Amino acid sequence: MSNFKFLKSINNDLFFLASDAEKLFKDGYFEQCMSQTRRFAENLCRQVMQDRAKPSDSFDMMLATLQDTPSLGEEEKEFLDDLYFLKKAGNEAVHSIKTGNDANAGKKALECLERSFEAAINFAVFFCKADSGLLNIVFDEELLMTGKKSKTSVLQQEYTARKKKELALSQKQEKNQKQTGEAKTESKEKSKKNKNKNKKTNLELYEEYLQAKKEKAEKSKIFKNKSLLREIAETILAGIIIYIGYLLIFTK
């Protein structure tokens, strides 16, 4: 068995490249393993690029193009980081003068395999739309060396799946609480705004007072003018009545 078995149904060529790298590691060919993981990473990158990459484009050119993609997500950044690491490690292994099949080389080759595994998971889930459950599986060193899946990796896979589920639930609850809090704040601010809108300033109240006083004064002036005219009219009317009475009485 291989840690990269999930790739077989997605891209058989990539699966063989990765499984060959595992075999090289198992046989102690650490430098060859690193150069193979570099080859795997370059082909993985080309699969992601598809028509955007020309056959003559180098690994560096393809990585630079992906790096310039606007608004990279966390998964994409992690994917690129893994590819850059595999390219560098593979180049060093190929161009090294001394043979490096010692313990240090083995440690680095193991990291290359783990990085290849993580990049392959991202490729499968986020690019090929494979089952998101793949995000829970972990690289199994015992499977690498013996071909048998370890109990530890199974437990770790279950633990990872449970923790991710709990994290997703927690994030959802926080989001709901945040939205509820924002709604309350917005309602409070709106109420405060309306209250402030209805509340008049001292200047506005003073201006209203002056306007009312002015209108009252004008009404009083009109009333006075009406009173004077009325007195004159009543005096004239009284004079006319007296004159008519005089004519009726003394002209007989």
Side-chain angles (χ1 to χ4, degrees):
M1 288 183 68
S2 166
N3 281 289
F4 296 86
K5 185 180 177 181
F6 65 91
L7 268 181
K8 199 168 187 178
S9 59
I10 296 171
N11 189 303
N12 204 40
D13 292 331
L14 289 174
F15 166 71
F16 278 117
L17 287 174
S19 59
D20 280 346
E22 284 184 306
K23 291 174 184 175
L24 288 167
F25 179 90
K26 185 178 178 181
D27 292 337
Y29 298 109
F30 302 133
E31 285 188 333
Q32 290 85 343
C33 171
M34 285 186 274
S35 63
Q36 183 73 352
T37 56
R38 184 203 180 284
R39 184 183 174 191
F40 169 79
E42 183 171 351
N43 281 276
L44 193 63
C45 185
R46 194 171 289 279
Q47 286 294 320
V48 171
M49 291 287 292
Q50 292 192 328
D51 295 337
R52 289 187 292 167
K54 298 176 183 178
S56 59
D57 284 352
S58 66
F59 195 6
D60 284 324
M61 291 171 66
M62 290 189 291
L63 284 174
T65 301
L66 289 178
Q67 186 71 51
D68 291 337
T69 303
S71 304
L72 288 173
E74 288 303 315
E75 296 83 8
E76 293 167 316
K77 289 177 181 178
E78 183 181 321
F79 179 75
L80 277 172
D81 184 59
D82 288 333
L83 294 188
Y84 271 113
F85 178 88
L86 294 169
K87 180 183 75 70
K88 183 179 179 182
N91 288 345
E92 289 174 353
V94 170
H95 299 296
S96 177
I97 297 175
K98 296 181 180 179
T99 302
N101 287 326
D102 54 9
N104 289 330
K107 185 178 178 181
K108 194 165 187 179
L110 180 60
E111 185 175 0
C112 285
L113 285 172
E114 291 173 346
R115 293 265 193 160
S116 297
F117 177 80
E118 294 298 330
I121 292 289
N122 279 332
F123 169 75
V125 175
F126 299 108
F127 183 76
C128 299
K129 308 302 179 185
D131 185 1
S132 60
L134 288 175
L135 295 171
N136 299 326
I137 65 175
V138 294
F139 187 83
D140 189 348
E141 293 183 22
E142 189 172 327
L143 177 63
L144 170 66
M145 300 306 298
T146 66
K148 295 180 181 180
K149 199 170 186 65
S150 67
K151 292 181 180 179
T152 304
S153 67
V154 174
L155 292 173
Q156 190 172 351
Q157 182 176 330
E158 292 175 354
Y159 173 79
T160 303
R162 186 171 69 252
K163 293 304 288 184
K164 284 184 177 180
K165 189 175 180 180
E166 291 174 357
L167 179 62
L169 181 62
S170 176
Q171 289 175 339
K172 186 178 180 180
Q173 290 175 342
E174 286 179 6
K175 186 178 180 181
N176 291 338
Q177 289 175 355
K178 186 178 179 182
Q179 289 176 341
T180 303
E182 287 176 350
K184 287 182 179 178
T185 303
E186 185 179 350
S187 177
K188 190 180 289 184
E189 288 179 352
K190 188 175 181 180
S191 176
K192 186 178 179 181
K193 187 177 180 181
N194 290 335
K195 187 177 180 181
N196 290 336
K197 187 177 180 181
N198 294 330
K199 188 177 179 180
K200 295 180 180 179
T201 63
N202 290 334
L203 180 61
E204 288 174 332
L205 290 171
Y206 182 66
E207 287 177 348
E208 285 187 1
Y209 164 74
L210 291 178
Q211 182 66 25
K213 187 176 180 182
K214 183 179 179 182
E215 290 175 357
K216 185 177 180 181
E218 289 177 351
K219 286 181 181 178
S220 177
K221 186 177 180 181
I222 292 170
F223 177 76
K224 286 181 180 179
N225 290 337
K226 283 185 178 180
S227 298
L228 181 61
L229 290 172
R230 186 175 180 180
E231 287 179 5
I232 294 171
E234 288 175 351
T235 303
I236 294 172
L237 181 61
I240 292 171
I241 292 170
I242 292 170
Y243 178 70
I244 293 172
Y246 173 78
L247 291 175
L248 290 174
I249 297 172
F250 292 102
T251 54
K252 287 181 177 181

